[in-house]
Amino acid sequence: YENAPLEAEKYLADGNKLILILGTTATVATVVLGGIARLLGLISAFWYVMALTMVVSCFVMIVFWGYNAIMNGRHRLDYVSAGNLVFPVGQLLGTVGLALAARSIFGKGSDWMVTGAVAGMGIGQLFALVVALFICKRTKMATYSDLFDIRTNNGLYTKMLTFGGLAAVAFVTTTVVQNFTAPLLGLANAIWPTFTKVQLGYFNTSLIFAMSPMLLVGVGIALVPAMS
């Protein structure tokens, strides 16, 4: 950014617009294809809502990190720390709150509690997105036109997709591998019944608590730059 600020701003603007285009496309595709599958009886209402919730939550998360990159690119780690602090706290409050809300509505042990937890992660990212967007606007790092007006671009979409495609595949692969333990165990248990649903529930819950220190990563990233 220091060597070519104007060129960097073009990439930041086009990158965030590209995220909006791809995320909107994925959401619409999920609504349409999932709706068709639901009408044909291929999936239940639960899985339709779950798929849509996951896609929208991921969409919001990626948009947040895109806006956070604007501040990171300018090395304003004091501003970056605000979003990095909000998103783990927001995720924690959102997942617990919506899971408990689903429990009160659909009953203890309902599958909809999982949907509530996934939606809560999206809401946590939404809190952080609002903070990042407010900072970008308040500090004039980016205008709403730079971020949202997809009618204008700097012709960098193809270059960004070509250059960043492999990185995106690597990131998605890493995310899948990190979260594959519980689904893999559930699938194996469905084929070779070994554990009860209660035992699987204990394992999944323990796994979540074992991974909970990862929430401290966001807090650490937030506080260290702020103190320095």
Side-chain angles (χ1 to χ4, degrees), residues 99-113:
L100 292 177
R103 175 180 176 176
S104 65
I105 296 173
F106 299 103
K108 182 180 179 180
S110 171
D111 291 341
W112 290 102
M113 292 178 64

Side-chain angles (χ1 to χ4, degrees), residues 83-155:
N84 287 347
L85 180 61
V86 170
F87 90 84
V89 176
Q91 281 185 338
L92 177 62
L93 297 177
T95 52
V96 172
L98 289 184
L100 292 177
R103 175 180 176 176
S104 65
I105 296 173
F106 299 103
K108 182 180 179 180
S110 171
D111 291 341
W112 290 102
M113 292 178 64
V114 180
T115 307
V118 174
M121 294 187 67
I123 288 180
Q125 298 287 351
L126 182 60
F127 289 156
L129 171 59
V130 171
V131 172
L133 187 59
F134 174 77
I135 293 175
C136 285
K137 178 63 176 178
R138 190 67 179 268
T139 58
K140 298 182 180 180
M141 288 187 180
T143 65
Y144 287 139
S145 176
D146 292 334
L147 299 175
F148 297 112
D149 190 359
I150 60 175
R151 297 171 298 177
T152 61
N153 64 78
N154 299 291

